[in-house]
Amino acid sequence: MAKQPKQNKTASGTDVNHVKQQNQQAAQGKSQYGAEFAQQTDAQQVQQQNQKSQAKKK
């Protein structure tokens, strides 16, 4: 397999094409992390925890 031209990497070594692909997936709502996080999060429980936290601050 031929090496990709150096222009596909930033100065810090980040693969530009990989970042573009991740951004595209995120824009389409196919981000693996986002979907996984949403499935594991109970919104009602988080709201209750936030209310308790706010009540303690007062």
Side-chain angles (χ1 to χ4, degrees), residues 32-50:
Q32 181 181 358
Y33 173 76
E36 183 178 325
F37 181 76
Q39 290 173 353
Q40 295 177 359
T41 303
D42 180 356
Q44 190 174 13
Q45 182 184 12
V46 171
Q47 288 173 346
Q48 289 173 350
Q49 289 174 342
N50 288 343

Side-chain angles (χ1 to χ4, degrees), residues 9-52:
K9 300 265 185 182
T10 64
S12 62
T14 303
D15 184 348
V16 174
N17 291 329
H18 182 69
V19 172
K20 286 181 181 179
Q21 182 182 6
Q22 285 181 322
N23 289 343
Q24 235 177 2
Q25 287 176 347
Q28 293 172 357
K30 295 182 180 178
S31 173
Q32 181 181 358
Y33 173 76
E36 183 178 325
F37 181 76
Q39 290 173 353
Q40 295 177 359
T41 303
D42 180 356
Q44 190 174 13
Q45 182 184 12
V46 171
Q47 288 173 346
Q48 289 173 350
Q49 289 174 342
N50 288 343
Q51 286 175 350
K52 288 178 184 178

